[in-house]
mmCIF file of all heavy atoms in Angstrom:
data_model
loop_
_atom_site.group_PDB
_atom_site.id
_atom_site.type_symbol
_atom_site.label_atom_id
_atom_site.label_comp_id
_atom_site.label_asym_id
_atom_site.label_seq_id
_atom_site.Cartn_x
_atom_site.Cartn_y
_atom_site.Cartn_z
ATOM 1 N N VAL A 1 0.817 -1.207 0.000
ATOM 2 C CA VAL A 1 0.000 0.000 0.000
ATOM 3 C C VAL A 1 0.850 1.255 0.000
ATOM 4 O O VAL A 1 0.347 2.345 -0.260
ATOM 5 C CB VAL A 1 -0.972 0.022 1.199
ATOM 6 C CG1 VAL A 1 -1.984 -1.109 1.083
ATOM 7 C CG2 VAL A 1 -0.218 -0.087 2.519
ATOM 8 N N ALA A 2 2.125 1.118 0.286
ATOM 9 C CA ALA A 2 3.020 2.264 0.279
ATOM 10 C C ALA A 2 4.451 1.780 0.156
ATOM 11 O O ALA A 2 4.846 0.814 0.814
ATOM 12 C CB ALA A 2 2.860 3.102 1.541
ATOM 13 N N THR A 3 5.212 2.439 -0.693
ATOM 14 C CA THR A 3 6.628 2.131 -0.836
ATOM 15 C C THR A 3 7.390 3.410 -1.098
ATOM 16 O O THR A 3 6.849 4.379 -1.632
ATOM 17 C CB THR A 3 6.907 1.144 -1.991
ATOM 18 O OG1 THR A 3 6.467 1.717 -3.228
ATOM 19 C CG2 THR A 3 6.210 -0.180 -1.762
ATOM 20 N N ASP A 4 8.640 3.398 -0.721
ATOM 21 C CA ASP A 4 9.504 4.539 -0.985
ATOM 22 C C ASP A 4 10.928 4.043 -1.042
ATOM 23 O O ASP A 4 11.364 3.287 -0.172
ATOM 24 C CB ASP A 4 9.364 5.612 0.094
ATOM 25 C CG ASP A 4 10.266 6.800 -0.172
ATOM 26 O OD1 ASP A 4 10.108 7.444 -1.227
ATOM 27 O OD2 ASP A 4 11.137 7.097 0.674
ATOM 28 N N SER A 5 11.640 4.461 -2.050
ATOM 29 C CA SER A 5 13.036 4.095 -2.208
ATOM 30 C C SER A 5 13.833 5.345 -2.511
ATOM 31 O O SER A 5 13.549 6.047 -3.483
ATOM 32 C CB SER A 5 13.211 3.066 -3.329
ATOM 33 O OG SER A 5 14.567 2.730 -3.497
ATOM 34 N N VAL A 6 14.808 5.621 -1.670
ATOM 35 C CA VAL A 6 15.639 6.809 -1.861
ATOM 36 C C VAL A 6 16.465 6.677 -3.134
ATOM 37 O O VAL A 6 16.622 7.639 -3.883
ATOM 38 C CB VAL A 6 16.549 7.038 -0.643
ATOM 39 C CG1 VAL A 6 17.497 8.204 -0.898
ATOM 40 C CG2 VAL A 6 15.713 7.297 0.604
ATOM 41 N N GLN A 7 16.971 5.491 -3.355
ATOM 42 C CA GLN A 7 17.761 5.220 -4.545
ATOM 43 C C GLN A 7 16.918 4.495 -5.577
ATOM 44 O O GLN A 7 16.346 3.443 -5.287
ATOM 45 C CB GLN A 7 18.988 4.380 -4.197
ATOM 46 C CG GLN A 7 19.983 5.062 -3.283
ATOM 47 C CD GLN A 7 20.727 6.181 -3.978
ATOM 48 O OE1 GLN A 7 20.789 6.243 -5.209
ATOM 49 N NE2 GLN A 7 21.303 7.084 -3.200
ATOM 50 N N GLY A 8 16.834 5.052 -6.764
ATOM 51 C CA GLY A 8 16.066 4.422 -7.815
ATOM 52 C C GLY A 8 16.635 3.083 -8.236
ATOM 53 O O GLY A 8 15.921 2.267 -8.835
ATOM 54 N N ARG A 9 17.904 2.839 -7.930
ATOM 55 C CA ARG A 9 18.531 1.574 -8.265
ATOM 56 C C ARG A 9 18.123 0.462 -7.311
ATOM 57 O O ARG A 9 18.424 -0.707 -7.563
ATOM 58 C CB ARG A 9 20.049 1.725 -8.236
ATOM 59 C CG ARG A 9 20.589 2.713 -9.249
ATOM 60 C CD ARG A 9 22.084 2.982 -9.022
ATOM 61 N NE ARG A 9 22.314 3.760 -7.808
ATOM 62 C CZ ARG A 9 22.911 3.303 -6.720
ATOM 63 N NH1 ARG A 9 23.364 2.047 -6.679
ATOM 64 N NH2 ARG A 9 23.081 4.086 -5.666
ATOM 65 N N PHE A 10 17.455 0.812 -6.230
ATOM 66 C CA PHE A 10 17.063 -0.162 -5.212
ATOM 67 C C PHE A 10 15.557 -0.385 -5.243
ATOM 68 O O PHE A 10 14.782 0.548 -5.445
ATOM 69 C CB PHE A 10 17.453 0.318 -3.811
ATOM 70 C CG PHE A 10 18.934 0.464 -3.587
ATOM 71 C CD1 PHE A 10 19.410 0.978 -2.392
ATOM 72 C CD2 PHE A 10 19.854 0.091 -4.554
ATOM 73 C CE1 PHE A 10 20.771 1.111 -2.167
ATOM 74 C CE2 PHE A 10 21.219 0.223 -4.348
ATOM 75 C CZ PHE A 10 21.679 0.737 -3.150
ATOM 76 N N THR A 11 15.155 -1.619 -5.014
ATOM 77 C CA THR A 11 13.748 -1.977 -4.977
ATOM 78 C C THR A 11 13.454 -2.789 -3.730
ATOM 79 O O THR A 11 14.114 -3.794 -3.475
ATOM 80 C CB THR A 11 13.346 -2.784 -6.221
ATOM 81 O OG1 THR A 11 13.626 -2.040 -7.409
ATOM 82 C CG2 THR A 11 11.846 -3.105 -6.178
ATOM 83 N N ILE A 12 12.464 -2.348 -2.969
ATOM 84 C CA ILE A 12 12.082 -3.047 -1.761
ATOM 85 C C ILE A 12 10.821 -3.863 -2.014
ATOM 86 O O ILE A 12 9.948 -3.455 -2.777
ATOM 87 C CB ILE A 12 11.859 -2.068 -0.590
ATOM 88 C CG1 ILE A 12 11.662 -2.823 0.727
ATOM 89 C CG2 ILE A 12 10.680 -1.142 -0.883
ATOM 90 C CD1 ILE A 12 11.635 -1.920 1.950
ATOM 91 N N SER A 13 10.729 -5.005 -1.385
ATOM 92 C CA SER A 13 9.546 -5.838 -1.503
ATOM 93 C C SER A 13 9.383 -6.653 -0.235
ATOM 94 O O SER A 13 10.353 -6.916 0.481
ATOM 95 C CB SER A 13 9.627 -6.761 -2.727
ATOM 96 O OG SER A 13 10.725 -7.655 -2.631
ATOM 97 N N LEU A 14 8.155 -7.024 0.049
ATOM 98 C CA LEU A 14 7.849 -7.837 1.216
ATOM 99 C C LEU A 14 7.018 -9.018 0.754
ATOM 100 O O LEU A 14 5.871 -8.852 0.345
ATOM 101 C CB LEU A 14 7.097 -7.022 2.270
ATOM 102 C CG LEU A 14 6.694 -7.759 3.552
ATOM 103 C CD1 LEU A 14 7.922 -8.342 4.248
ATOM 104 C CD2 LEU A 14 5.947 -6.821 4.488
ATOM 105 N N ASN A 15 7.610 -10.176 0.785
ATOM 106 C CA ASN A 15 6.951 -11.402 0.385
ATOM 107 C C ASN A 15 6.708 -12.257 1.610
ATOM 108 O O ASN A 15 7.650 -12.760 2.219
ATOM 109 C CB ASN A 15 7.800 -12.167 -0.629
ATOM 110 C CG ASN A 15 8.158 -11.335 -1.845
ATOM 111 O OD1 ASN A 15 9.324 -11.213 -2.207
ATOM 112 N ND2 ASN A 15 7.142 -10.758 -2.474
ATOM 113 N N ARG A 16 5.427 -12.389 1.963
ATOM 114 C CA ARG A 16 5.054 -13.102 3.182
ATOM 115 C C ARG A 16 5.753 -12.435 4.358
ATOM 116 O O ARG A 16 5.455 -11.296 4.694
ATOM 117 C CB ARG A 16 5.388 -14.589 3.055
ATOM 118 C CG ARG A 16 4.592 -15.285 1.961
ATOM 119 C CD ARG A 16 4.898 -16.775 1.900
ATOM 120 N NE ARG A 16 4.179 -17.417 0.795
ATOM 121 C CZ ARG A 16 2.950 -17.895 0.893
ATOM 122 N NH1 ARG A 16 2.287 -17.820 2.030
ATOM 123 N NH2 ARG A 16 2.374 -18.455 -0.163
ATOM 124 N N ARG A 17 6.681 -13.104 4.981
ATOM 125 C CA ARG A 17 7.391 -12.532 6.122
ATOM 126 C C ARG A 17 8.872 -12.329 5.850
ATOM 127 O O ARG A 17 9.682 -12.281 6.782
ATOM 128 C CB ARG A 17 7.180 -13.397 7.361
ATOM 129 C CG ARG A 17 5.762 -13.298 7.918
ATOM 130 C CD ARG A 17 5.588 -14.119 9.175
ATOM 131 N NE ARG A 17 4.298 -13.864 9.802
ATOM 132 C CZ ARG A 17 3.153 -14.394 9.405
ATOM 133 N NH1 ARG A 17 3.138 -15.230 8.369
ATOM 134 N NH2 ARG A 17 2.023 -14.105 10.033
ATOM 135 N N THR A 18 9.208 -12.211 4.593
ATOM 136 C CA THR A 18 10.585 -11.962 4.212
ATOM 137 C C THR A 18 10.689 -10.644 3.463
ATOM 138 O O THR A 18 10.047 -10.463 2.424
ATOM 139 C CB THR A 18 11.144 -13.097 3.342
ATOM 140 O OG1 THR A 18 11.025 -14.341 4.037
ATOM 141 C CG2 THR A 18 12.608 -12.849 3.031
ATOM 142 N N LEU A 19 11.462 -9.740 3.991
ATOM 143 C CA LEU A 19 11.705 -8.451 3.366
ATOM 144 C C LEU A 19 12.930 -8.559 2.470
ATOM 145 O O LEU A 19 13.936 -9.162 2.859
ATOM 146 C CB LEU A 19 11.935 -7.384 4.435
ATOM 147 C CG LEU A 19 12.134 -5.946 3.952
ATOM 148 C CD1 LEU A 19 10.828 -5.388 3.407
ATOM 149 C CD2 LEU A 19 12.664 -5.080 5.085
ATOM 150 N N HIS A 20 12.838 -7.983 1.283
ATOM 151 C CA HIS A 20 13.945 -8.026 0.339
ATOM 152 C C HIS A 20 14.347 -6.625 -0.089
ATOM 153 O O HIS A 20 13.543 -5.699 -0.114
ATOM 154 C CB HIS A 20 13.568 -8.827 -0.913
ATOM 155 C CG HIS A 20 13.200 -10.251 -0.648
ATOM 156 N ND1 HIS A 20 14.144 -11.231 -0.445
ATOM 157 C CD2 HIS A 20 11.990 -10.858 -0.555
ATOM 158 C CE1 HIS A 20 13.535 -12.383 -0.240
ATOM 159 N NE2 HIS A 20 12.232 -12.185 -0.306
ATOM 160 N N LEU A 21 15.598 -6.493 -0.441
ATOM 161 C CA LEU A 21 16.097 -5.271 -1.040
ATOM 162 C C LEU A 21 16.963 -5.666 -2.221
ATOM 163 O O LEU A 21 18.058 -6.208 -2.037
ATOM 164 C CB LEU A 21 16.910 -4.436 -0.048
ATOM 165 C CG LEU A 21 17.441 -3.116 -0.609
ATOM 166 C CD1 LEU A 21 16.278 -2.158 -0.892
ATOM 167 C CD2 LEU A 21 18.437 -2.464 0.352
ATOM 168 N N GLN A 22 16.461 -5.416 -3.414
ATOM 169 C CA GLN A 22 17.216 -5.688 -4.623
ATOM 170 C C GLN A 22 18.030 -4.453 -4.959
ATOM 171 O O GLN A 22 17.470 -3.382 -5.179
ATOM 172 C CB GLN A 22 16.282 -6.048 -5.781
ATOM 173 C CG GLN A 22 16.997 -6.340 -7.091
ATOM 174 C CD GLN A 22 17.871 -7.576 -7.021
ATOM 175 O OE1 GLN A 22 17.456 -8.603 -6.513
ATOM 176 N NE2 GLN A 22 19.099 -7.460 -7.523
ATOM 177 N N MET A 23 19.329 -4.596 -4.995
ATOM 178 C CA MET A 23 20.229 -3.488 -5.266
ATOM 179 C C MET A 23 20.951 -3.749 -6.574
ATOM 180 O O MET A 23 21.654 -4.750 -6.712
ATOM 181 C CB MET A 23 21.229 -3.306 -4.130
ATOM 182 C CG MET A 23 20.580 -3.077 -2.768
ATOM 183 S SD MET A 23 21.791 -2.732 -1.465
ATOM 184 C CE MET A 23 22.573 -4.351 -1.341
ATOM 185 N N ASN A 24 20.761 -2.851 -7.521
ATOM 186 C CA ASN A 24 21.391 -2.971 -8.826
ATOM 187 C C ASN A 24 22.329 -1.797 -9.074
ATOM 188 O O ASN A 24 22.180 -0.727 -8.482
ATOM 189 C CB ASN A 24 20.329 -3.030 -9.929
ATOM 190 C CG ASN A 24 19.429 -4.236 -9.817
ATOM 191 O OD1 ASN A 24 19.863 -5.316 -9.441
ATOM 192 N ND2 ASN A 24 18.157 -4.054 -10.161
ATOM 193 N N ASP A 25 23.275 -2.013 -9.966
ATOM 194 C CA ASP A 25 24.244 -0.977 -10.322
ATOM 195 C C ASP A 25 24.850 -0.346 -9.071
ATOM 196 O O ASP A 25 24.839 0.871 -8.898
ATOM 197 C CB ASP A 25 23.575 0.092 -11.191
ATOM 198 C CG ASP A 25 24.584 1.048 -11.823
ATOM 199 O OD1 ASP A 25 25.752 0.659 -11.980
ATOM 200 O OD2 ASP A 25 24.188 2.183 -12.164
ATOM 201 N N LEU A 26 25.381 -1.177 -8.221
ATOM 202 C CA LEU A 26 25.936 -0.709 -6.958
ATOM 203 C C LEU A 26 27.141 0.197 -7.165
ATOM 204 O O LEU A 26 27.929 0.010 -8.101
ATOM 205 C CB LEU A 26 26.326 -1.895 -6.088
ATOM 206 C CG LEU A 26 25.137 -2.615 -5.433
ATOM 207 C CD1 LEU A 26 25.539 -3.999 -4.961
ATOM 208 C CD2 LEU A 26 24.606 -1.779 -4.273
ATOM 209 N N LYS A 27 27.264 1.170 -6.287
ATOM 210 C CA LYS A 27 28.337 2.139 -6.347
ATOM 211 C C LYS A 27 29.091 2.143 -5.022
ATOM 212 O O LYS A 27 28.541 1.764 -3.992
ATOM 213 C CB LYS A 27 27.778 3.527 -6.648
ATOM 214 C CG LYS A 27 26.953 3.592 -7.925
ATOM 215 C CD LYS A 27 26.414 4.981 -8.169
ATOM 216 C CE LYS A 27 25.537 5.014 -9.418
ATOM 217 N NZ LYS A 27 26.262 4.584 -10.630
ATOM 218 N N PRO A 28 30.353 2.575 -5.032
ATOM 219 C CA PRO A 28 31.138 2.593 -3.793
ATOM 220 C C PRO A 28 30.445 3.337 -2.654
ATOM 221 O O PRO A 28 30.580 2.944 -1.488
ATOM 222 C CB PRO A 28 32.435 3.282 -4.208
ATOM 223 C CG PRO A 28 32.593 2.924 -5.646
ATOM 224 C CD PRO A 28 31.181 2.962 -6.192
ATOM 225 N N GLU A 29 29.698 4.381 -2.966
ATOM 226 C CA GLU A 29 29.010 5.139 -1.930
ATOM 227 C C GLU A 29 27.857 4.377 -1.284
ATOM 228 O O GLU A 29 27.272 4.848 -0.313
ATOM 229 C CB GLU A 29 28.500 6.485 -2.481
ATOM 230 C CG GLU A 29 27.713 6.351 -3.771
ATOM 231 C CD GLU A 29 28.571 6.621 -4.997
ATOM 232 O OE1 GLU A 29 29.729 6.155 -5.028
ATOM 233 O OE2 GLU A 29 28.087 7.301 -5.920
ATOM 234 N N ASP A 30 27.538 3.208 -1.829
ATOM 235 C CA ASP A 30 26.517 2.362 -1.219
ATOM 236 C C ASP A 30 27.088 1.525 -0.083
ATOM 237 O O ASP A 30 26.341 0.841 0.619
ATOM 238 C CB ASP A 30 25.889 1.429 -2.265
ATOM 239 C CG ASP A 30 25.109 2.186 -3.323
ATOM 240 O OD1 ASP A 30 24.421 3.163 -2.979
ATOM 241 O OD2 ASP A 30 25.191 1.796 -4.510
ATOM 242 N N THR A 31 28.391 1.556 0.084
ATOM 243 C CA THR A 31 29.036 0.797 1.146
ATOM 244 C C THR A 31 28.533 1.258 2.510
ATOM 245 O O THR A 31 28.618 2.435 2.851
ATOM 246 C CB THR A 31 30.555 0.950 1.076
ATOM 247 O OG1 THR A 31 31.041 0.381 -0.143
ATOM 248 C CG2 THR A 31 31.224 0.234 2.244
ATOM 249 N N ALA A 32 28.001 0.328 3.288
ATOM 250 C CA ALA A 32 27.440 0.647 4.597
ATOM 251 C C ALA A 32 26.944 -0.628 5.251
ATOM 252 O O ALA A 32 26.935 -1.700 4.642
ATOM 253 C CB ALA A 32 26.284 1.646 4.457
ATOM 254 N N THR A 33 26.537 -0.492 6.501
ATOM 255 C CA THR A 33 25.856 -1.578 7.176
ATOM 256 C C THR A 33 24.368 -1.380 6.951
ATOM 257 O O THR A 33 23.831 -0.308 7.239
ATOM 258 C CB THR A 33 26.158 -1.597 8.682
ATOM 259 O OG1 THR A 33 27.562 -1.761 8.882
ATOM 260 C CG2 THR A 33 25.426 -2.748 9.362
ATOM 261 N N TYR A 34 23.713 -2.382 6.432
ATOM 262 C CA TYR A 34 22.297 -2.288 6.112
ATOM 263 C C TYR A 34 21.477 -3.002 7.174
ATOM 264 O O TYR A 34 21.749 -4.153 7.523
ATOM 265 C CB TYR A 34 22.022 -2.895 4.733
ATOM 266 C CG TYR A 34 22.484 -2.010 3.595
ATOM 267 C CD1 TYR A 34 23.833 -1.826 3.332
ATOM 268 C CD2 TYR A 34 21.561 -1.341 2.794
ATOM 269 C CE1 TYR A 34 24.255 -0.998 2.311
ATOM 270 C CE2 TYR A 34 21.973 -0.516 1.765
ATOM 271 C CZ TYR A 34 23.323 -0.346 1.524
ATOM 272 O OH TYR A 34 23.744 0.472 0.501
ATOM 273 N N PHE A 35 20.475 -2.297 7.673
ATOM 274 C CA PHE A 35 19.626 -2.816 8.732
ATOM 275 C C PHE A 35 18.198 -3.015 8.254
ATOM 276 O O PHE A 35 17.643 -2.180 7.541
ATOM 277 C CB PHE A 35 19.603 -1.859 9.930
ATOM 278 C CG PHE A 35 20.922 -1.701 10.618
ATOM 279 C CD1 PHE A 35 21.818 -0.725 10.211
ATOM 280 C CD2 PHE A 35 21.259 -2.519 11.683
ATOM 281 C CE1 PHE A 35 23.036 -0.569 10.847
ATOM 282 C CE2 PHE A 35 22.477 -2.371 12.331
ATOM 283 C CZ PHE A 35 23.368 -1.396 11.918
ATOM 284 N N CYS A 36 17.615 -4.105 8.662
ATOM 285 C CA CYS A 36 16.201 -4.368 8.475
ATOM 286 C C CYS A 36 15.475 -3.888 9.726
ATOM 287 O O CYS A 36 15.952 -4.096 10.845
ATOM 288 C CB CYS A 36 15.984 -5.866 8.261
ATOM 289 S SG CYS A 36 14.269 -6.415 8.305
ATOM 290 N N ALA A 37 14.334 -3.239 9.553
ATOM 291 C CA ALA A 37 13.594 -2.715 10.688
ATOM 292 C C ALA A 37 12.091 -2.852 10.470
ATOM 293 O O ALA A 37 11.623 -2.954 9.340
ATOM 294 C CB ALA A 37 13.957 -1.247 10.931
#
């Protein structure tokens, strides 16, 4: 019912009880610790 992605290269989805983040065309500035919340 609502989605938002800061980076257009990233796509978020929630399938059943598993959250996914598809990251394409990754760049060095994407380096970080990624948290699910």
Side-chain angles (χ1 to χ4, degrees):
V1 295
T3 61
D4 180 60
S5 179
V6 175
Q7 296 289 340
R9 298 171 289 112
F10 296 176
T11 302
I12 188 172
S13 62
L14 179 58
N15 305 127
R16 296 183 183 273
R17 289 182 172 80
T18 303
L19 183 70
H20 300 280
L21 181 68
Q22 180 65 46
M23 303 185 291
N24 297 324
D25 191 24
L26 285 162
K27 304 179 183 301
E29 50 263 42
D30 294 320
T31 296
T33 300
Y34 285 71
F35 295 89
C36 170

